């Protein structure tokens, strides 16, 4: 299996795995000081409507790309609807496909608890991109891209009051890259989680934080385009790489407009 020797992901802190579903939003949870009492990320998650994604770069996505991603073989013929992609929330039935996508494009495996947290935690969100033609099908669709993120109080080290979104993972299937799909997923996750944190406030931006493998210059270029900058390097940040790399991470941060 070929995967890129990059690590763009942030390992989900153990506390996130252990947190009861809604505990972060209730009582004296750590999100209280950024979330107004009327705001619930759960409601935003429930109300998330699928969004059509149209590649802004006409002609750069081969019409056969979705079928190729699904079967691993060149498509016999192009179908018009294969160019259309829908961005929607992760469902339980998508977990195997998302896990396959992440495992084959990232140098570490995520445990089931990672996906369980994304499905249940009120402060986390996972959006996926699937062929629009598959949305009415009963079988789980091929997943062309996914992003996961967690909203948390402002970083403990800078004591800022700006809500902070941690990008946990972002992967686009090789056949769907450089079409703006990652940009769309990134903007949507920031808009949804950030919008929840900003509800009832005059908040116009959120802080976005992530770690990316130091050798993953492509992903760093992507995040720089989105307004993030390298703030420091963390040796040994990634400890469970399949190939034994030292796992040095670049920490990137930036303020992103809502
Ligand atoms: C990094 C990754 C998510 C980018 O996804 P993508 O859908 O191809 O990105 P987009 O098409 O939205 O790119 C938007 C812009 O980011 C920049 N960019 C994206 N990938 C880049 C790369 N490999 N090298 C340089 N710049 C890049 C470009 O400026 C691009 O605009 P352009 O295509 O008009 O030049 C994708 O390559 C990927 O999944 N890689 C493997 C997993 C990974 O590294 N994930 C990192 C996320 S933490």
């Amino acid at each position: 299996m070929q995967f890129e020797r990059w690590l763009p992901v942030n390992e989900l802190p153990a506390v996130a795995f252990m947190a009861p579903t809604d505990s972060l939003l209730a009582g004296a949870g750590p999100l209280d000081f950024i979330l107004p009492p009327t705001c619930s990320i759960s409601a935003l998650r429930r109300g998330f409507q699928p969004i059509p994604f149209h590649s802004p770069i006409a002609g750069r996505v081969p019409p056969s790309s979705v079928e190729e991603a699904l079967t691993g073989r060149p498509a016999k013929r192009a179908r018009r609807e294969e160019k259309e992609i829908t961005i929607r929330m992760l469902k339980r039935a998508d977990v195997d496909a998302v896990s396959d996508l992440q495992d084959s494009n990232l140098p570490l495996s995520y445990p089931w608890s990672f996906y369980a947290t994304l499905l249940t935690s009120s402060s986390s969100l996972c959006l996926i991109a699937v062929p629009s033609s598959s949305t009415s099908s009963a079988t789980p669709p091929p997943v062309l891209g996914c992003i996961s993120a967690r909203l948390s109080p402002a970083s403990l080290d800078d004591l800022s009051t700006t809500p902070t979104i941690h990008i946990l993972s972002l992967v686009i299937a090789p056949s769907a890259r450089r079409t703006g799909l990652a940009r769309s997923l990134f903007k949507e996750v920031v808009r949804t989680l950030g919008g929840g944190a900003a509800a009832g406030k005059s908040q116009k931006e959120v802080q976005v934080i992530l770690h990316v493998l130091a050798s993953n210059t492509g992903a760093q270029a992507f995040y720089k385009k989105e307004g993030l900058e390298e703030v420091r390097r963390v040796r040994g940040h990634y400890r469970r790489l399949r190939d034994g790399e030292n796992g040095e991470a670049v920490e990137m941060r930036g303020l992103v407009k809502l």
Side-chain angles (χ1 to χ4, degrees):
M1 175 171 34
Q2 184 189 359
F3 64 84
E4 296 183 42
R5 294 167 54 113
W6 303 337
L7 191 55
V9 294
N10 208 353
E11 291 183 73
L12 197 61
V15 66
F17 292 135
M18 294 184 294
T21 306
D22 278 299
S23 63
L24 290 178
L25 291 171
L31 288 182
D32 286 352
F33 73 94
I34 57 167
L35 293 174
T38 50
C39 169
S40 160
I41 302 294
S42 299
L44 290 168
R45 286 162 53 104
R46 279 195 301 275
F48 188 88
Q49 295 297 316
I51 299 164
F53 169 79
H54 305 286
S55 169
I57 313 164
R60 279 182 62 178
V61 187
S64 59
S65 61
V66 172
E67 190 170 331
E68 285 173 2
L70 175 62
T71 63
R73 296 187 302 274
K76 290 195 183 101
R77 62 192 175 89
R79 286 191 292 265
R80 189 171 176 275
E81 66 269 28
E82 285 175 342
K83 295 177 193 168
E84 305 297 324
I85 291 173
T86 295
I87 293 173
R88 65 162 170 79
M89 289 269 297
L90 175 76
K91 297 178 190 167
R92 169 72 181 81
D94 304 314
V95 168
D96 285 347
V98 170
S99 176
D100 285 350
L101 179 70
Q102 297 211 146
D103 284 0
S104 53
N105 287 280
L106 300 172
L108 91 172
S109 298
Y110 286 81
W112 162 247
S113 53
F114 176 81
Y115 300 102
T117 300
L118 294 178
L119 286 165
T120 58
S121 164
S122 296
S123 56
S124 302
L125 182 68
C126 179
L127 299 179
I128 65 170
V130 296
S132 301
S133 55
S134 69
T135 50
S136 54
S137 157
T139 52
V143 176
L144 300 172
C146 68
I147 186 167
S148 60
R150 178 171 52 88
L151 178 68
S152 71
S155 166
L156 295 176
D157 52 355
D158 63 15
L159 297 179
S160 141
T161 54
T162 307
T164 301
I165 294 172
H166 294 259
I167 303 295
L168 304 172
S169 67
L170 170 61
V171 180
I172 305 298
S175 61
R177 287 182 193 167
R178 302 306 285 265
T179 66
L181 186 52
R183 184 185 296 134
S184 288
L185 287 169
F186 179 85
K187 289 194 183 313
E188 205 49 51
V189 93
V190 167
R191 188 186 68 80
T192 305
L193 282 181
K201 291 180 166 186
S202 55
Q203 199 84 46
K204 298 216 166 21
E205 58 190 12
V206 289
Q207 179 172 223
V208 176
I209 299 182
L210 58 94
H211 291 88
V212 53
L213 195 69
S215 57
N216 189 352
T217 52
Q220 289 162 42
F222 167 78
Y223 286 118
K224 276 186 190 149
K225 203 89 187 267
E226 297 306 317
L228 276 63
E229 287 178 353
E230 173 177 339
V231 289
R232 63 180 178 132
R233 295 196 168 220
V234 189
R235 279 215 178 143
H237 178 81
Y238 299 108
R239 294 181 299 277
R240 296 196 300 270
L241 301 188
R242 289 192 202 104
D243 61 5
E245 276 190 48
N246 88 359
E248 182 180 34
V250 168
E251 182 174 317
M252 299 184 78
R253 292 179 182 226
L255 292 173
V256 178
K257 285 198 170 35
L258 290 174

